[in-house]
Amino acid sequence: MAFAGSLSLQLSSSFNGETLSSPSLSSGRKFQEKRLLIVSKRLSGLDEAMRIRRERELETETKFRRIQPLKRGKVSQRLPVPDHISKPPYVGSALLPELSKEHQIHDVEGVVRMRAACELAARVLDYAGTLVRPSVTTNEIDKAVHQMIIDAGAYPSPLGYGGFPKSVCTSVNECMCHGIPDSRQLQDGDIINIDVTVYLNGYHGDTSKTFLCGNVSERLKRLVKVTEESMLKGIAVCKDGAMFRKIGKRISEHAEKFGFGVVERFVGHGIGTIFHSEPIICHNRNEEPGFMVEGQTFTIEPILTLGSINCTTWEDNWTTLTVDGSSAAQFEHTILITRTGAEILTKC
C-alpha cells in the first residue's frame, strides 16, 4: 500500500506542476480549464484501475480463504529419542537457554561437520515438503520428520528446547513462526512453513521453507515467492568484511516493492555447536553495527506478511500469529561466510 500511495502522490505533483507552469497554457483561461479536465480524467482512470485491481484480489482471496481462523488442535506426547543418539546440553531443562554471546567461527573440521548437519536438515525438509497436502495433520509431519532424523543418527534440535514439545515447527497461514504440530488437518489453500533443525555430531543445521497446500490463491503464491527471493537477496550481499545491516536493507527493499511487511521481532542468529548465538541478524532496515568474518555461520530467515508485522502469542508461549490474522511466509538458510561471498549450507 505504501508504494501505491507514493505513486499517487508523485503523479499528482507532476500533473499539477505541468498544469500550472507549462508555457503552453499562456494562450488563455479556456485552454487551461480544458487541460485541468484532462488531468482529472487521468487521475480518475488511475484510481479506477487500482480500485478494480483491489476488488479482484479481494474476490480471489475470499474464494480461497479458510472458513475459520487458525485454532490449536490436540498436541500429542513428545516422541522418544534412542539413548545412543547424542543430545544437545539444553535437553532435560524446561528453561529457555540464553542467547550465547559467542560468534561461531569454524576451523576446517568444524566446517565439515556443519556441512554434514546442514545437508541432513535440507534433506529432511525436502522430505517433509512431500507430505504437504489437504487432510494431512501437522502432527503426522512431525512424526515423519522425527523418524527420519533419528534414523540418520541425529537429534531433532527443537525437541525439548525451552520446553518445546515437538521435533519440528509447523506454522500455518497467519502463524508467523514456532507453530506446534497438532491434530489440525491441512486445508486446501493453506500455506505452511516447516522449520527443521538437526543436531549431528555436535553441530546444528537449521533451515525452513513455506510450502503450498493444494489450490493456493495467486496472492499467497506471490507472498511465498517474494519471501524466498528476499532471503536470497539478503544472502547475496554476504561476504567477509560486509556489514550485517546490509542484509536487512536488501530484504526490505525487495519486500517493499510488492507491498509486503517485514517482521522485525524475529531474527536470524549464529549457529554451530550452539543452537542460537550472536550475531543477531535483523531482516528489516536497521543501523546495527558489526561485520561478517570468514568461517562464520549464521541463519537468514525473513518473515513477510500480507498485512500487519505485529504479532500475538498463544498461551503455549510458542505459537506466534499476525495480530490482524493476515498470512505470513518464511524461508531460512544456514550460510557460511567465505572471503568472496556466502556458501548456502542447507542445500541437498
Side-chain angles (χ1 to χ4, degrees), residues 4-177:
S6 300
L7 178 61
S8 296
L9 179 59
Q10 182 181 13
L11 289 173
S12 297
S13 298
S14 61
F15 287 150
N16 288 341
E18 179 185 358
T19 301
L20 296 177
S21 61
S22 173
S24 64
L25 301 183
S26 58
S27 58
R29 180 178 178 183
K30 182 176 180 181
F31 182 73
Q32 184 178 19
E33 289 176 350
K34 184 177 181 181
R35 288 284 296 167
L36 286 172
L37 181 60
I38 293 174
V39 170
S40 177
K41 286 183 178 179
R42 293 178 69 179
L43 283 174
S44 178
L46 175 63
D47 290 341
E48 180 67 10
M50 292 176 69
R51 183 188 65 79
I52 293 172
R53 178 180 175 181
R54 284 194 297 268
E55 285 183 354
R56 286 176 177 173
E57 285 190 341
L58 180 60
E59 181 179 316
T60 301
E61 190 64 25
T62 301
K63 179 180 177 181
F64 290 92
R65 187 176 297 155
R66 59 200 177 281
I67 297 174
Q68 296 293 332
L70 191 64
K71 292 183 179 180
R72 183 177 182 177
K74 182 179 179 181
V75 179
S76 60
Q77 295 294 318
R78 59 186 291 175
L79 298 169
V81 177
D83 292 339
H84 71 271
I85 291 179
S86 178
K87 301 171 180 63
Y90 53 77
V91 174
S93 172
L95 298 176
L96 188 67
E98 291 186 6
L99 181 78
S100 172
K101 299 297 183 183
E102 177 184 345
H103 286 237
Q104 302 186 68
I105 302 170
H106 308 282
D107 58 16
V108 174
E109 182 181 355
V111 170
V112 170
R113 293 194 177 194
M114 277 298 295
R115 285 198 180 107
C118 289
E119 189 271 340
L120 174 60
R123 285 196 291 112
V124 173
L125 181 62
D126 276 0
Y127 170 63
T130 66
L131 305 176
V132 173
R133 61 182 181 274
S135 81
V136 169
T137 69
T138 50
N139 192 63
E140 289 172 325
I141 294 174
D142 175 77
K143 186 176 181 180
V145 164
H146 179 91
Q147 192 64 47
M148 183 174 179
I149 292 172
I150 64 173
D151 284 348
Y155 183 89
S157 302
L159 186 63
Y161 181 82
F164 192 82
K166 291 294 183 176
S167 298
V168 67
C169 296
T170 52
S171 303
V172 180
N173 297 328
E174 68 265 38
C175 183
M176 286 183 176
C177 61

Side-chain angles (χ1 to χ4, degrees), residues 42-340:
R42 293 178 69 179
L43 283 174
S44 178
L46 175 63
D47 290 341
E48 180 67 10
M50 292 176 69
R51 183 188 65 79
I52 293 172
R53 178 180 175 181
R54 284 194 297 268
E55 285 183 354
R56 286 176 177 173
E57 285 190 341
L58 180 60
E59 181 179 316
T60 301
E61 190 64 25
T62 301
K63 179 180 177 181
F64 290 92
R65 187 176 297 155
R66 59 200 177 281
I67 297 174
Q68 296 293 332
L70 191 64
K71 292 183 179 180
R72 183 177 182 177
K74 182 179 179 181
V75 179
S76 60
Q77 295 294 318
R78 59 186 291 175
L79 298 169
V81 177
D83 292 339
H84 71 271
I85 291 179
S86 178
K87 301 171 180 63
Y90 53 77
V91 174
S93 172
L95 298 176
L96 188 67
E98 291 186 6
L99 181 78
S100 172
K101 299 297 183 183
E102 177 184 345
H103 286 237
Q104 302 186 68
I105 302 170
H106 308 282
D107 58 16
V108 174
E109 182 181 355
V111 170
V112 170
R113 293 194 177 194
M114 277 298 295
R115 285 198 180 107
C118 289
E119 189 271 340
L120 174 60
R123 285 196 291 112
V124 173
L125 181 62
D126 276 0
Y127 170 63
T130 66
L131 305 176
V132 173
R133 61 182 181 274
S135 81
V136 169
T137 69
T138 50
N139 192 63
E140 289 172 325
I141 294 174
D142 175 77
K143 186 176 181 180
V145 164
H146 179 91
Q147 192 64 47
M148 183 174 179
I149 292 172
I150 64 173
D151 284 348
Y155 183 89
S157 302
L159 186 63
Y161 181 82
F164 192 82
K166 291 294 183 176
S167 298
V168 67
C169 296
T170 52
S171 303
V172 180
N173 297 328
E174 68 265 38
C175 183
M176 286 183 176
C177 61
H178 301 160
I180 298 175
D182 60 24
S183 62
R184 180 192 182 274
Q185 292 183 330
L186 293 176
Q187 306 295 312
D188 187 56
D190 282 349
I191 59 173
I192 175 174
N193 176 269
I194 302 177
D195 192 338
V196 172
T197 312
V198 305
Y199 183 69
L200 178 66
N201 297 324
Y203 286 76
H204 296 273
D206 192 1
T207 184
S208 85
K209 179 178 180 178
T210 298
F211 297 92
L212 309 178
C213 181
N215 192 18
V216 176
S217 72
E218 291 302 318
R219 194 179 185 202
L220 288 181
K221 286 180 181 177
R222 184 162 63 247
L223 172 67
V224 171
K225 180 175 182 291
V226 173
T227 303
E228 183 174 22
E229 291 172 349
S230 297
M231 174 194 64
L232 293 174
K233 287 182 179 295
I235 292 173
V237 302
C238 295
K239 65 178 181 178
D240 180 51
M243 299 188 72
F244 291 115
R245 70 180 64 161
K246 286 187 175 181
I247 298 172
K249 181 176 184 294
R250 186 61 63 88
I251 289 171
S252 295
E253 285 175 346
H254 190 64
E256 288 165 2
K257 290 179 183 178
F258 298 88
F260 298 138
V262 180
V263 173
E264 300 178 9
R265 177 176 175 182
F266 296 100
V267 296
H269 53 86
I271 190 168
T273 57
I274 303 168
F275 194 173
H276 297 102
S277 76
E278 296 281 357
I280 289 175
I281 307 300
C282 297
H283 304 113
N284 57 298
R285 297 178 189 274
N286 66 90
E287 296 299 326
E288 295 296 323
F291 297 85
M292 303 171 204
V293 178
E294 184 178 3
Q296 185 175 44
T297 50
F298 55 84
T299 69
I300 297 179
E301 46 187 302
I303 303 172
L304 271 57
T305 69
L306 289 178
S308 175
I309 63 171
N310 296 321
C311 59
T312 181
T313 303
W314 283 355
E315 292 182 359
D316 60 28
N317 293 323
W318 287 106
T319 309
T320 302
L321 283 62
T322 56
V323 72
D324 62 355
S326 61
S327 296
Q330 182 181 30
F331 281 79
E332 175 184 15
H333 273 312
T334 296
I335 66 170
L336 168 70
I337 298 302
T338 68
R339 186 171 303 176
T340 59

